[in-house]
Amino acid sequence: MPSLFRRKPEEPAASVVVSEPEPEVGPRGQTPSKRDLGQKTPKRVIAGRRMPEPPAANRKEAAKRLRDKQRQERVEAREGMANGDERFLLARDKGPVRKLVRDIVDSRRTIGTFFFGTTFLVMLVGFNRSLNPNIYFAANALFFVMLLATAVDGFLISRTVKKLVKQRFPDAKDRMGSLYLYAIMRSISFRFIRNPKPQVKIGQAI
């Protein structure tokens, strides 16, 4: 006779199957993005952005990197100054007024650019004692003629500077005397050695 207190045989527990929720389909059958699913999209490297350099292995490599960086900065500063970039200009060259003065000088042929050549020629003649005295006289006369022509040309440039600065920058606080000197010193230097480089062509309207 079966016992009334015998345990019933335990039934095996049913295995629970957990199914992942299916991604909800957006309107018009669109597939959900990775942002909707909580996944991060790897960032792309933007072109032109410098990647951080790995740390230097030793002092020698760190010093070399520092020298290369300083050399690159000097090259950038020199090129920026030559191209008239305000970030790299000296204090004497900064500002729209100074740029206008440079353009006035660079847009014309100046007699002052020939003054140093004439002075060099007169010095060569003066050192040669075997030449005819008339050559000394002619060289000295040429020097004084060029000096007078340079002074007249500087006066005309200064008058143009004063006119255009008063017209375009009536509230400018630059002293006119310093602008005159700035224009004259630029006018007597050769065009190819002027710094910043000329940004206008000869004969171009200012």
Side-chain angles (χ1 to χ4, degrees):
M1 180 177 180
S3 175
L4 299 175
F5 300 98
R6 183 180 297 177
R7 292 184 179 180
K8 295 181 179 182
E10 296 181 358
E11 296 180 0
S15 58
V16 180
V17 179
V18 180
S19 59
E20 296 182 356
E22 297 182 359
E24 298 180 358
V25 179
R28 299 183 181 179
Q30 294 180 355
T31 304
S33 62
K34 292 185 177 181
R35 179 180 299 177
D36 298 333
L37 298 176
Q39 301 178 5
K40 294 183 179 180
T41 304
K43 296 182 179 180
R44 293 178 299 176
V45 179
I46 301 176
R49 177 179 295 178
R50 294 182 179 179
M51 300 297 294
E53 297 182 358
N58 48 48
R59 290 186 177 182
K60 184 176 181 180
E61 184 179 353
K64 182 179 181 300
R65 289 186 182 182
L66 179 60
R67 289 194 301 269
D68 293 342
K69 183 178 180 181
Q70 292 175 345
R71 187 183 301 110
Q72 183 179 1
E73 289 177 351
R74 287 195 297 268
V75 171
E76 291 178 357
R78 186 162 52 248
E79 292 178 353
M81 183 182 298
N83 296 327
D85 192 335
E86 288 284 335
R87 297 174 299 171
F88 303 102
L89 293 180
L90 301 177
R92 66 175 186 181
D93 300 320
K94 288 186 176 181
V97 178
R98 298 281 173 155
K99 184 180 185 306
L100 174 62
V101 173
R102 292 197 299 270
D103 291 343
I104 293 173
V105 176
D106 297 336
S107 64
R108 56 192 297 168
R109 298 184 185 276
T110 57
I111 299 176
T113 54
F114 304 100
F115 177 72
F116 284 115
T118 303
T119 303
F120 181 72
L121 178 62
V122 172
M123 291 177 62
L124 288 180
V125 172
F127 288 141
N128 194 344
R129 300 295 181 179
S130 61
L131 296 178
N132 191 307
N134 292 330
I135 297 179
Y136 291 109
F137 176 77
N140 290 329
L142 178 62
F143 172 77
F144 285 107
V145 168
M146 290 298 299
L147 180 62
L148 179 61
T150 302
V152 173
D153 191 41
F155 171 77
L156 297 177
I157 292 175
S158 300
R159 190 172 65 174
T160 304
V161 167
K162 180 179 180 180
K163 176 183 177 181
L164 292 182
V165 169
K166 291 294 184 181
Q167 178 181 349
R168 301 185 185 182
F169 301 98
D171 299 330
K173 298 181 179 180
D174 301 69
R175 293 184 303 166
M176 297 307 300
S178 63
L179 295 180
Y180 298 158
L181 181 61
Y182 182 71
I184 292 173
M185 293 302 296
R186 189 172 179 86
S187 68
I188 63 178
S189 60
F190 294 105
R191 186 179 179 88
F192 63 89
I193 64 173
R194 292 175 183 174
N195 197 20
K197 294 181 180 179
Q199 303 295 320
V200 296
K201 297 181 180 180
I202 296 178
Q204 182 176 340
I206 302 301

